[in-house]
Structures are given as structure tokens and as C-alpha cells.
Amino acid sequence: MIPLRRFLHTPEAIAGAILLTALFAMALSASLLFPGDPQAIAGPALLPPFQDWSLPLGTDRLGRDVLAELFHGARTSLAVGLAAAAAALAVGAVVGTLAGFAGGLVDEMLMRTTDAFQTVPSFLLALAFVSVVGPSLGVVVIAIALGTWTGPARVARAEVLSIRERDYVASARAVGMHPLEIAFREVLPNALPPVLAMSSVIVAAAILTEAALSFLGLGDPNRVTWGGMISEGRAVLRTAPFLSIVPGIALVLTVLGIYLAGEGIVETTAVRRGLS
Amino acid sequence: MSGRTEGGTRARRFCSSSRAADAPMTRALALLRRRLVGSVFVLLIVVIGTFLLLEAAPGDAVDAYIVSTGGDAGMIELLRHRWGLDQSELARLANYLWALLHLDLGQSVTFSRPIRDVILERLPNTLLLMVSATALSFGLGSALGIYAGARPGSLRDRFLSIGSLALYAVPGFWLGLALIIVFAVGLRWLPIGGIETLASDKTGLDRAADIGIHLVLPVSALGFIYLALYLRMMRAGMAEVWRQDFVLAVRARGLSRRRIVLAHVARNALLPLVTMLGLQSAQMLGGSVVIESVFSVPGLGRLAQEAVASRDTPLLLGIILVSAVLVIAINLLVDIAYAFLDPRVGASEAGA
């Protein structure tokens, strides 16, 4: 467990680990602690927090249990964040590897397409995609991935450009491996580390984008989302600001935890690489 | 990026002397030409992409028109034919491109006006918001970054570094709501939303001041998030510059720490931030969608949200196209500024 001890070396990384553990615990225990529909009415509307201990954080405008919504919202945030980031990293790595390894016209076309995706504000693209296809969890994931694969693609391409001239690639060519096989079995795995180093930032960005989409009413209507909760609370911002503040704090802590843990991991691996 | 040395600074001084005064201009023009050609391709891909999205949207312009005005099947047939919607996909793409070449984005069903006019009406508000927020985030962010990066590892460096990370984790729309709760609802210092006081006949400076007051909260909400980005970049860049040999040489010359920090370390770390300014413009535009709808600023972002709400897909895609053009233009400006700031940039490209 030496890597773990090295990872927990800085107070920042420890804080990040604690926040992420709490988040995962919330997401995984949501249906155990709060079985049933979190969108069902649980009590009187707009019950302030800390009044009734069966509803610790009170209820929202429609009488739904805020704490239950918070737990189920953690689930949506985490699922969408991880799925969108995984999709973005996979597409980015493949596109970047193809562009860097093939070169020439293929490279030019793929990179101009990357430029085009980077030129359109990713949030507007996600907004348009969800609005055209219709809001559901899968569509939201694709919409977010559409705007985030470009960064990993650029990093992967730059890495592949330096790898493809190495000796082991030349020897793979010499033994007659198919170019695609070289690209995906020899080059891609070696180009992955810097791409994966971006994953914490991408997961964080995906969670923030999901929240913003649901805030604007484009989240999956059948799921509780923190962004949707904030949007709901906005209607009673003057009388019950608590309803928009709580899910917002959950969002901030989640994203902060991901950043801190991500920095910790990058530092740990950097130290390891420095030692070897 | 990390290759900036004392030699680079000297070369810049050399270039700005009268002997080579025209060099930056020539380089900038060559760069501009190259980038313009690339931009045309990029824009073409964006147009094809928006066209595909438009095709994928359920219903077409005729359906939307009929819903708002009413009409029978014969009327639908006639309109489809008149608007060229009964032609093949490729013919429609060609029509779309042809119309775009004439700066015709089509007709907005919700506003019953040309999309171009609706967008042009909203654009100034968004630009005002973006430019102010960029000035805030870039100015304050790089200043705080210099303050933190001047003493790497110090208490203030650690504090600012964690503080900026926390700020970067805050969703813009939520920061906006928090600002509204504190400054508009609680303290009642600032207006809750809008771009100016409605139905007031203020003119000239009074009106500018009124708009300024209305912009304080949205600009803060949008600017503070990206402030963290510039702060962290400045700090990281300075940490890299500190390690370079020329810093030792400058120290050996006995310059004051203040001078070393400002004239050498910060100056050399500033250039990547200029590039970021261009790259961030797309993010900033995306962020303004949410901020504008939180503060009811009648800009492009709010228009996008209205287009989504009323299922006006052509309007939404028009906004995306205009945003893409805007982002390309901003990045061109940044590239040109860069060519003037850094004599090495573009020199090789211009020769090629």
C-alpha cells in the first residue's frame, strides 16, 4: 500500500479522498437509506431544515424530502460525470491516436474536425444536442462528451507523434504488424498516461455541465439532479434560499474533492516517475 | 512555452527598434492569411454539423409555422415546396450554405423575424458581459497569480492556490444565485437582474451607469470562476520560469526582488495566458448562457435558452454559428496580438 500512503501525503489529497469517499458512499447508499421514489411527496411543503428529524433537511416546494433528493442526486452526478468522462477520454484517445499515427490527410481532417468542435462553445453544443434529441440520461452523457473529447484528442495526438518514431514501433513495423494493430496495441497504451492525467478535470467539468444543463431544465426529468434541485429552489429564493444553497454546496464539495484527489494522483505518479 | 529566456526578451527589444519595425506587421499578416484559410474549413465543418442537427430535429420549419398560424394539408404541401424542403438532403445543404453566404440565417418562428436581426440585437449585451468578465478574470487573476507566484511555497501561495481551486469548483449559475441572495435580496445593494432599469428614459452617462450597476453581479459571477484559471496558470508558469537559469543570472546582477518578479519572471509567464484568453472565449460564451438566464440579461445566451424552451431549433443553431464565428474572430485577434508580443511566433510560419 505504499502508493496509497504516498498519495495521502499532502493534506489536500487527504481532503480530496475524504470528500470523494463521502460522495461515493452517498451515491451507493442512496437506494438503501432512501428506498422508493425520491421525487415522491414525503411531507408538508417547504418544511425548514432541522425541524422534523424524519426529514432532517426539510422539504422542497412540492414536499419532497431534500436529504433523499441530495443522496439520489449524488448518484446522477457521479454516474453522468464518470460516463461522460469515460466516453470523452475513449473517443479522444482513439481520434488522437489515429490522427497522430496516420498523419497526412487523415490527420488534417481529424484535427480540423477537432478545431470545429473546439470553436463551438461546448455548453451550447450540449444544449442544442439535448434539445434536439430529447432529455434522458444517455443523451446528456453524449451531449457532454461531444464537447469534451477534443482536449484528450490533442494530448493523445501530441504524445503519439513522439512515440511513433521510437524503436519498438519501428520493430513492430519490421515484423509486419498491421498499422492499425501497431497504432492500437503498441502506440495507444503508451500514449495513455498524459491523457488519463486529464481525467479528474474532465470528470469535474462533466459534473458541472450536467448540473448546468439540469438547471436550465434539460436534465433527465425522471431523475433527481442537483442542478434541477437548485433550479426548483430558485422559485422560492427569497423565502427559502436554503433549498438552492444545499445542493450547490454538495456540487462544490464534489468537484473540489475530484480536483484535490486528481492533483494528489498526478503528484504521486510524478514522484514515482521521478524516482524510477 | 517554457523556452522563454532572457535571450527572448532581448530579441523582442531588438525587433521593436526602428530597423525591424515592419517585421511584426509582415509576420502578423502572413499568420492572418494562414489562419483565415484554416478558419474557412473549420467553419464549413461547423455549418455541416449544425445542418445535420437541424435535420435530426423532429419537425421542420413548416410544421412550426403551421402550429403557430394553422393551415390544411394543401397549405403544408405548398409551403414545403416554396421553402425548398421537398428537395434532397444535398440540395437542402446547398441551399443552406447559399443562404449563409448571404448572411441569411433563416426566419425565427418564435420571434417572427429574421434570425440574424434577433441575434444582432442581443449580441452587444453578451459582448459587454464577456469583455467585462474577461477583463475581471484576466486582470485580477494574473495579478493574484503574480502575488502568489512571487514566493512559491509560501503561506499566501498555498492559501491562494487552494482558494482558487475551491472557486474553480463553484458552478457559475450557483455563484450567481448566491450573489443574488446576498447582494440583491439581503443587502439590497444591487439590482436582481436585467440589463437596465425598465421603462426609464435615462440617456447618455446615466444610462451607462445604470447598465454598469446591473452588470456588477453577472460579471462577477462569470468572471470569478475563470479568475481561478488565470491565477493558477500564472502561478504554474512562474514556478517554471523561476527554475530557469536566466533568473539566476538576473539575480546575480543584483536586481531587487520586486523587479525580478515583475520585469522578468511574471513577464515571461504572461504569454501563455494570452493564448488562454482566446481558448477560453468559447467557454466564456457557454458560461454566459447560464449566467444570462440567472440574471435575465437579454443576451445571446438567454436567447439560446429561450430558443430551447420554444423548440426554435433554427434560432438555436444560428446562435451556435454566430458563436463559432465570434470564437474564431477572437482567436485570430489573440494570434495577431501574440505575433506582436513574441517575435519568435509566426517567424517560422511566415517563412514556410
Side-chain angles (χ1 to χ4, degrees):
Chain A
M1 293 310 277
I2 289 171
L4 185 65
R5 257 174 59 198
R6 200 175 279 143
F7 167 63
L8 295 176
H9 196 65
T10 60
E12 286 94 334
I14 295 175
I18 293 174
L19 287 171
L20 278 194
T21 313
L23 177 72
F24 272 96
M26 271 174 85
L28 292 176
S29 67
S31 40
L32 281 175
L33 292 177
F34 304 97
D37 187 4
Q39 288 178 312
I41 290 166
L46 288 174
L47 180 74
F50 315 124
Q51 303 278 314
D52 177 351
W53 286 111
S54 64
L55 298 164
L57 286 183
T59 59
D60 71 359
R61 211 154 53 100
L62 297 171
R64 295 178 293 205
D65 183 353
V66 172
L67 192 64
E69 283 191 287
L70 210 55
F71 270 65
H72 283 270
R75 215 173 199 188
T76 318
S77 270
L78 209 56
V80 171
L82 290 177
L89 286 171
V91 172
V94 169
V95 170
T97 305
L98 282 178
F101 196 73
L105 191 65
V106 177
D107 183 25
E108 191 66 24
M109 279 168 65
L110 286 176
M111 288 332 277
R112 288 295 85 77
T113 311
T114 312
D115 282 345
F117 272 91
Q118 274 182 326
T119 300
V120 174
S122 54
F123 188 71
L124 267 179
L125 184 61
L127 201 71
F129 188 77
V130 176
S131 128
V132 165
V133 185
S136 77
L137 211 58
V139 172
V140 170
V141 167
I142 297 172
I144 296 171
L146 272 181
T148 33
W149 62 272
T150 50
R154 279 186 190 287
V155 172
R157 177 177 175 270
E159 199 67 12
V160 166
L161 283 181
S162 81
I163 289 176
R164 77 171 180 188
E165 305 304 332
R166 303 241 172 108
D167 289 344
Y168 64 83
V169 177
S171 59
R173 270 205 190 98
V175 299
M177 262 171 100
H178 190 275
L180 275 180
E181 200 181 350
I182 302 177
F184 287 103
R185 287 183 61 177
E186 302 289 326
V187 177
L188 178 62
N190 289 299
L192 271 184
V195 178
L196 290 180
M198 304 173 77
S199 52
S200 69
V201 178
I202 291 183
V203 173
I207 288 181
L208 286 176
T209 308
E210 188 277 330
L213 280 176
S214 342
F215 177 73
L216 292 183
L218 285 169
D220 187 332
N222 300 317
R223 278 170 199 277
V224 181
T225 60
W226 288 341
M229 288 171 75
I230 298 174
S231 167
E232 270 285 307
R234 190 183 169 193
V236 283
L237 199 61
R238 281 165 195 274
T239 47
F242 193 77
L243 286 176
S244 352
I245 292 174
V246 169
I249 288 175
L251 262 173
V252 173
L253 290 180
T254 299
V255 175
L256 187 60
I258 294 168
Y259 281 148
L260 289 173
E263 282 207 340
I265 291 171
V266 169
E267 258 167 51
T268 316
T269 47
V271 168
R272 257 213 325 259
R273 245 182 263 154
L275 284 178
S276 60
Chain B
M1 167 175 132
S2 59
R4 288 208 57 80
T5 59
E6 180 70 340
T9 320
R10 225 179 284 135
R12 184 179 332 143
R13 288 195 193 117
F14 175 75
C15 270
S16 57
S17 74
S18 59
R19 244 174 77 197
D22 59 313
M25 202 60 199
T26 336
R27 274 188 293 110
L29 279 177
L31 192 70
L32 188 67
R33 228 182 0 249
R34 239 178 66 94
R35 290 291 148 86
L36 272 179
V37 174
S39 303
V40 171
F41 279 106
V42 168
L43 209 55
L44 192 66
I45 298 175
V46 173
V47 169
I48 293 175
T50 53
F51 176 76
L52 290 177
L53 263 179
L54 193 61
E55 291 288 302
D60 57 17
V62 173
D63 293 327
Y65 182 78
I66 293 297
V67 165
S68 59
T69 60
D72 55 16
M75 174 94 172
I76 292 176
E77 209 54 41
L78 186 73
L79 278 174
R80 283 238 158 89
H81 184 71
R82 191 182 292 164
W83 291 353
L85 293 171
D86 52 357
Q87 296 169 11
S88 72
E89 293 255 323
L90 261 177
R92 284 210 301 273
L93 178 59
N95 288 344
Y96 186 60
L97 281 170
W98 187 243
L100 285 181
L101 273 180
H102 294 87
L103 301 179
D104 176 12
L105 291 169
Q107 192 82 8
S108 161
V109 183
T110 17
F111 290 89
S112 311
R113 286 171 55 202
I115 291 176
R116 182 188 56 199
D117 296 356
V118 181
I119 288 179
L120 282 180
E121 198 178 274
R122 302 289 193 99
L123 193 59
N125 288 337
T126 298
L127 284 180
L128 191 61
L129 179 65
M130 264 179 72
V131 169
S132 321
T134 305
L136 173 73
S137 58
F138 187 82
L140 200 58
S142 52
L144 284 173
I146 293 173
Y147 182 67
R151 292 190 184 280
S154 64
L155 191 68
R156 73 182 189 210
D157 178 31
R158 253 180 121 75
F159 178 76
L160 278 173
S161 155
I162 295 190
S164 65
L165 201 61
L167 193 61
Y168 203 48
V170 176
F173 63 91
W174 185 72
L175 182 61
L177 286 181
L179 290 175
I180 286 180
I181 292 176
V182 176
F183 293 103
V185 176
L187 296 170
R188 290 172 186 277
W189 284 355
L190 291 161
I192 199 161
I195 184 82
E196 57 185 319
T197 312
L198 289 175
S200 73
D201 31 75
K202 287 179 176 158
T203 47
L205 276 178
D206 276 349
R207 183 160 177 239
D210 187 42
I211 293 177
I213 287 173
H214 279 81
L215 275 180
V216 172
L217 288 184
V219 166
S220 310
L222 192 57
F224 268 102
I225 312 274
Y226 296 106
L227 180 154
L229 185 80
Y230 293 111
L231 193 164
R232 294 182 71 76
M233 245 188 115
M234 190 70 193
R235 193 183 147 265
M238 281 178 78
E240 215 164 273
V241 177
W242 275 121
R243 281 199 290 273
Q244 287 178 24
D245 292 338
F246 87 90
V247 176
L248 202 66
V250 178
R251 270 188 175 158
R253 266 160 56 193
L255 296 183
S256 70
R257 193 175 171 90
R258 189 188 173 82
R259 213 181 128 73
I260 296 176
V261 166
L262 289 179
H264 294 279
V265 180
R267 186 176 178 178
N268 280 308
L270 194 64
L271 273 175
L273 267 75
V274 176
T275 320
M276 204 58 193
L277 215 52
L279 295 177
Q280 270 316 104
S281 59
Q283 299 299 316
M284 205 48 128
L285 258 175
S288 68
V289 176
V290 229
I291 294 298
E292 281 176 15
S293 74
V294 167
F295 290 99
S296 320
V297 177
L300 219 52
R302 173 129 182 103
L303 188 65
Q305 205 224 336
E306 287 166 16
V308 169
S310 54
R311 306 212 136 268
D312 193 343
T313 312
L315 176 59
L316 187 58
L317 296 178
I319 295 170
I320 288 187
L321 275 179
V322 171
S323 312
V325 172
L326 205 61
V327 169
I328 288 175
I330 293 172
N331 277 294
L332 274 176
L333 283 178
V334 168
D335 281 342
I336 293 170
Y338 212 101
F340 278 98
L341 288 174
D342 189 336
R344 291 164 309 171
V345 171
S348 56
E349 290 181 66

